[in-house]
Amino acid sequence: MEEEENLIAALQHIANSLGAKRNLTEDARKKLADLGIQLASITRANTEDNCVGHQEDGVSEYEEQLNALQAKIMSWDGNPSLLWDFGAEEAYGYLRSVDEARKLAEKLESLCPEKDGREADLLRRVHDVLQTAMTRLEDEFMHLLVNNRLPFEPEHMSFRSTEEDTVDGSSIISFGEESVDDGAHRDSMSRSSEDYVVELVHPDVIPDLKCIANLMFDSNYGRECSQAFINVRKDALDDCLFTLEVEQLSIEDVQRMEWSSLNSKMRRWVRAFKIFVRIYLASEKWLADQIFSETGSAGSVCFAESSKTSLLQLLNFGEAVSIGPKKPERLIRVLDMYEVLTDLIPEIDSLYFDDAGLCLRTECRHVLASLGTCAKSTFLEFENAVASNASANAFPGGGVHPITKYVMNYMRALMDYSRILSGLLKDEEREDPVTYSPDTSPSSEDDVIRGSPYSSSMASHFQSFISTLESNLESRSKMYKDEALKHLFLMNNLHYIAEKVKKSSELRTVLGDNWIRKCNGKFQKHARSYERATWSSILYLIRDEGILDPGSNSVSRTLLKERLHSFYLAFEEVYKNQTGWSVPDRQLRDDLIITTSLMVIQGYRTFVGRHASNISDKHIKYSADDLENYLQDLFEKTPKSLHGSHRK
């Protein structure tokens, strides 16, 4: 017996010495700590067995053991220092004493079913000692969590934020005559399916925290331990949201917010939500699981409770956005929020997989549904906004109107969300189908949809949007008093629409090549109408009919002179006006000038050449080359005048 006791004492000394070394692995330290507790139990095994049948002697022994444990544990009562400040050996010695007191309490509970007698007094004493120890351990647990917290630095994470988009700045309702930039697009969002776990607490203290948690749960103080963890980590999660620049806003705060400010917060929310779920919550879950790995479902419960407030804060912002006004400029941001929440729900489900996280899983789906409804309503409201947008004045120069740029860039930006929109609009039936004229009817559904990832409803809405835009442009064209400028305006805008569709493979797939051919035909028709409205009456002035002297077959020099003079005046008037008109597309402008030059210069050369013998040089104000050069100045949006430019 003496040899066994000496062996056990030696092993315990070795375990204590090794436990004090900080360079041991976490697993080794845990095993050594457990070994120390087991060895302490072995030293009392024979004594406890011999106590059976000799209860009075046993009680005396238990009292002696309790006195020793009480002296060890109570020596720290009121001491403001931390156990771990005195080294691991001192800390784990204290834990072993507490564990021995716990086991003594269990033994006494089995010996004294009645609540009186000497055993009951000892039991009350040991419970008092345990309560004191648990208070100390709860404080130690919290201090270890707080003092060993590691900084969270999202700026070092490999996630890209969404940058400025084409249509997130100005409302379609307040266009004025401002231009909308072309070519902007939504940056792709990083979508990694792997959890990226970072250390939120120094790894050296994880075994210490785990030992405290195990001991407190074994001593029936699991609720206190869990609450301590929840309180500390809730503060850490709040700090994380602060670092991610997420404010706590009420629904009223969001509703009152100016769009520029709300737009910024929605963009920040998208980035913050990805980082918070994929990195921070994943790391938080890992931390809780490590500390409470041997306490059943405590890890899941603690994680859910500690993170609930912060996650709900993020979700509440999404809910506030979803019930706000359905303005077109918000749609891209709402779709961003809907998309990131859709992508993250599987990860949220895996983090909150059990009953403890049921309410959070449910709330995520509720907010997702609200954002989806908001996105769909805003999308459908977009057409009404286009239809109702009007102006009291004609657009100067007849160029591409801002509403055309806005709508087409808006539609092109929406193609980045085609998967989402197709899903949201899949079962959407139009209550008032658009009636198309023969030359504006969209392509057949087979032409648009066959082999396409887009729903027929989505294609139908996009076709309807453009039809509504064309109607809006037609109404605006009627504000021009000049018939030629009216056709130039429609030509410019329809050409812009056709080019935007051709240059976007997604829009081209949705609308179809047949639709593009029809749109090309429409703007070419307006180009021909412009030419007729501008030049037909001018070329009529240099016709051969009606230039003979009355009663003879000879050409009237007076009539020739008048015809040329009228032609020059009309040409100069066109030049003065149409140099101030606009054809923004360079290729379209060049084509239009070439066609005009062929028609005008050929007619002028023919007329002057045929009647050269009857026309004095002093009456030839411009040569054909002069006119051809002057035609190159048209549509430069800088009005010019030829008055006084007579040939010498």
Side-chain angles (χ1 to χ4, degrees):
M1 179 67 68
E2 183 178 355
E3 291 177 355
E4 290 177 355
E5 289 178 352
N6 290 337
L7 176 61
I8 290 171
L11 288 172
Q12 189 167 4
H13 177 73
I14 293 171
N16 292 339
S17 298
L18 289 175
K21 294 183 179 297
R22 303 296 290 182
N23 59 348
L24 291 177
T25 65
E26 297 172 11
D27 188 55
R29 290 180 58 211
K30 185 264 178 187
K31 290 180 178 178
L32 287 172
D34 290 344
L35 177 61
I37 294 173
Q38 293 172 12
L39 290 173
S41 300
I42 293 174
T43 60
R44 302 193 306 271
N46 288 335
T47 303
E48 290 176 355
D49 289 341
N50 291 334
C51 285
V52 177
H54 304 279
Q55 187 158 323
E56 286 299 324
D57 293 338
V59 169
S60 177
E61 181 181 345
Y62 295 149
E63 185 173 9
E64 182 180 342
Q65 182 184 358
L66 174 57
N67 290 337
L69 293 174
Q70 186 173 12
K72 170 69 174 177
I73 293 170
M74 298 305 292
S75 67
W76 280 92
D77 188 31
N79 190 335
S81 301
L82 299 177
L83 289 167
W84 268 264
D85 289 345
F86 289 83
E89 183 174 0
E90 179 67 28
Y92 276 91
Y94 184 90
L95 292 181
R96 284 192 294 273
S97 296
V98 176
D99 190 57
E100 289 177 21
R102 176 188 66 80
K103 291 177 179 178
L104 178 59
E106 291 178 353
K107 176 63 70 175
L108 289 171
E109 285 172 353
S110 67
L111 291 177
C112 55
E114 302 297 332
K115 294 186 178 181
D116 54 8
R118 192 174 173 188
E119 298 91 340
D121 290 338
L122 287 177
L123 183 58
R124 281 190 288 271
R125 279 183 58 199
V126 76
H127 278 310
D128 290 342
V129 170
L130 278 175
Q131 184 173 1
T132 300
M134 291 300 116
T135 300
R136 155 69 61 173
L137 290 182
E138 183 179 345
D139 290 340
E140 296 279 345
F141 187 78
M142 294 178 69
H143 278 291
L144 286 174
L145 279 174
V146 171
N147 295 340
N148 291 278
R149 212 174 98 183
L150 296 177
F152 182 66
E153 300 175 331
E155 64 272 16
H156 296 154
M157 306 304 172
S158 57
F159 282 81
R160 292 183 298 164
S161 63
T162 330
E163 299 300 333
E164 292 295 338
D165 294 322
T166 304
V167 293
D168 66 11
S170 58
S171 169
I172 193 173
I173 306 304
S174 58
F175 269 125
E177 303 301 345
E178 296 180 2
S179 172
V180 178
D181 292 337
D182 295 345
H185 61 279
R186 183 176 63 98
D187 282 356
S188 59
M189 292 193 297
S190 175
R191 294 188 184 94
S192 171
S193 60
E194 300 178 0
D195 289 337
Y196 183 28
V197 174
V198 297
E199 291 173 339
L200 302 177
V201 172
H202 199 288
D204 286 350
V205 302
I206 299 295
D208 303 335
L209 292 166
K210 184 174 181 178
C211 283
I212 294 175
N214 289 344
L215 185 51
M216 291 187 73
F217 271 81
D218 289 344
S219 304
N220 296 321
Y221 280 80
R223 185 174 62 83
E224 289 79 2
C225 181
S226 297
Q227 194 59 51
F229 178 89
I230 291 167
N231 291 341
V232 172
R233 296 314 302 170
K234 277 180 70 174
D235 291 341
L237 285 154
D238 288 342
D239 290 344
C240 171
L241 291 186
F242 179 80
T243 301
L244 293 172
E245 300 179 314
V246 175
E247 302 175 48
Q248 187 163 0
L249 300 168
S250 67
I251 291 178
E252 292 75 17
D253 292 334
V254 175
Q255 298 302 313
R256 288 194 300 265
M257 204 171 292
E258 293 291 334
W259 165 239
S260 59
S261 178
L262 179 59
N263 175 45
S264 176
K265 286 177 170 50
M266 291 170 76
R267 291 176 59 237
R268 194 176 298 144
W269 186 93
V270 169
R271 176 180 180 272
F273 202 86
K274 287 186 292 185
I275 293 175
F276 188 74
V277 172
R278 289 208 170 119
I279 300 179
Y280 203 91
L281 285 187
S283 303
E284 193 72 32
K285 180 70 162 61
W286 183 87
L287 175 64
D289 288 345
Q290 290 296 304
I291 294 174
F292 298 104
S293 61
E294 298 177 12
T295 57
S297 61
S300 295
V301 173
C302 288
F303 166 68
E305 287 299 315
S306 63
S307 61
K308 179 193 296 184
T309 302
S310 297
L311 184 56
L312 287 177
Q313 180 179 333
L314 284 165
L315 292 174
N316 288 343
F317 179 79
E319 178 74 10
V321 167
S322 71
I323 62 177
K326 308 302 185 284
K327 295 182 178 179
E329 69 270 18
R330 295 189 177 203
L331 179 55
I332 296 294
R333 291 289 169 242
V334 173
L335 288 172
D336 279 336
M337 295 174 70
Y338 181 87
E339 182 177 38
V340 73
L341 186 51
T342 299
D343 289 346
L344 290 176
I345 272 188
E347 296 173 42
I348 292 172
D349 286 346
S350 67
L351 290 171
Y352 301 97
F353 62 89
D354 55 13
D355 290 344
L358 176 61
C359 67
L360 292 172
R361 298 198 308 273
T362 302
E363 184 62 19
C364 281
R365 282 166 171 76
H366 168 72
V367 173
L368 180 68
S370 297
L371 287 171
T373 299
C374 175
K376 182 166 71 172
S377 299
T378 306
F379 180 83
L380 298 176
E381 184 63 27
F382 175 42
E383 186 176 347
N384 294 331
V386 174
S388 61
N389 183 260
S391 174
N393 302 310
F395 184 60
V400 179
H401 196 279
I403 193 174
T404 306
K405 295 180 180 180
Y406 185 94
V407 171
M408 295 311 298
N409 288 326
Y410 192 99
M411 291 176 64
R412 190 175 66 174
L414 289 179
M415 295 313 301
D416 287 340
Y417 303 88
S418 56
R419 174 178 61 89
I420 295 174
L421 284 175
S422 292
L424 291 174
L425 297 172
K426 186 175 181 180
D427 301 320
E428 180 66 29
E429 295 294 335
R430 297 188 59 80
E431 296 179 1
D432 53 342
V434 176
T435 302
Y436 298 94
S437 61
D439 65 336
T440 61
S441 61
S443 310
S444 67
E445 183 172 314
D446 288 342
D447 182 37
V448 174
I449 302 302
R450 186 181 295 123
S452 161
Y454 313 113
S455 67
S456 60
S457 180
M458 180 179 174
S460 173
H461 281 292
F462 272 54
Q463 292 161 357
S464 177
F465 286 168
I466 295 182
S467 179
T468 301
L469 173 60
E470 289 182 32
S471 297
N472 183 290
L473 294 170
E474 183 69 33
S475 297
R476 291 177 185 276
S477 72
K478 295 176 181 177
M479 298 179 185
Y480 295 106
K481 296 179 180 179
D482 192 315
E483 187 72 11
L485 185 53
K486 167 185 175 180
H487 290 294
L488 189 80
F489 172 77
L490 291 172
M491 176 201 73
N492 277 325
N493 284 272
L494 291 171
H495 177 266
Y496 182 89
I497 292 170
E499 287 299 301
K500 281 295 181 183
V501 174
K502 283 194 292 185
K503 291 176 181 178
S504 168
S505 59
E506 294 87 358
L507 279 176
R508 188 166 190 157
T509 302
V510 169
L511 297 171
D513 289 338
N514 189 37
W515 182 93
I516 294 175
R517 285 191 293 271
K518 290 178 180 178
C519 191
N520 283 336
K522 285 186 283 185
F523 87 74
Q524 289 166 1
K525 177 181 176 182
H526 285 294
R528 292 190 296 271
S529 296
Y530 153 79
E531 292 168 357
R532 286 193 299 269
T534 300
W535 300 109
S536 293
S537 60
I538 296 175
L539 291 175
Y540 185 75
L541 295 171
I542 52 175
R543 71 193 186 282
D544 287 336
E545 294 81 0
I547 60 172
L548 299 178
D549 281 327
S552 72
N553 291 326
S554 61
V555 174
S556 171
R557 291 175 179 268
T558 301
L559 289 176
L560 281 176
K561 178 182 175 181
E562 290 176 353
R563 290 282 184 89
L564 277 176
H565 182 69
S566 297
F567 172 81
Y568 292 142
L569 288 177
F571 183 89
E572 288 170 353
E573 185 66 20
V574 168
Y575 183 86
K576 180 181 70 174
N577 291 331
Q578 297 197 12
T579 51
W581 294 1
S582 174
V583 179
D585 186 88
R586 179 58 58 178
Q587 185 61 51
L588 179 60
R589 178 181 176 275
D590 290 345
D591 291 344
L592 196 60
I593 288 176
I594 289 172
T595 303
T596 300
S597 295
L598 289 174
M599 177 174 54
V600 175
I601 304 306
Q602 181 179 354
Y604 179 74
R605 277 200 176 107
T606 300
F607 182 79
V608 172
R610 182 179 295 124
H611 303 289
S613 60
N614 295 311
I615 302 175
S616 172
D617 284 347
K618 68 179 181 180
H619 296 133
I620 302 296
K621 189 174 183 180
Y622 306 112
S623 69
D625 290 341
D626 290 335
L627 295 181
E628 189 168 10
N629 289 332
Y630 292 141
L631 287 174
Q632 299 300 316
D633 295 336
L634 298 183
F635 317 126
E636 289 286 5
K637 212 173 181 181
T638 305
K640 299 177 182 179
S641 175
L642 292 176
H643 290 302
S645 301
H646 296 277
R647 291 181 69 225
K648 303 298 184 184

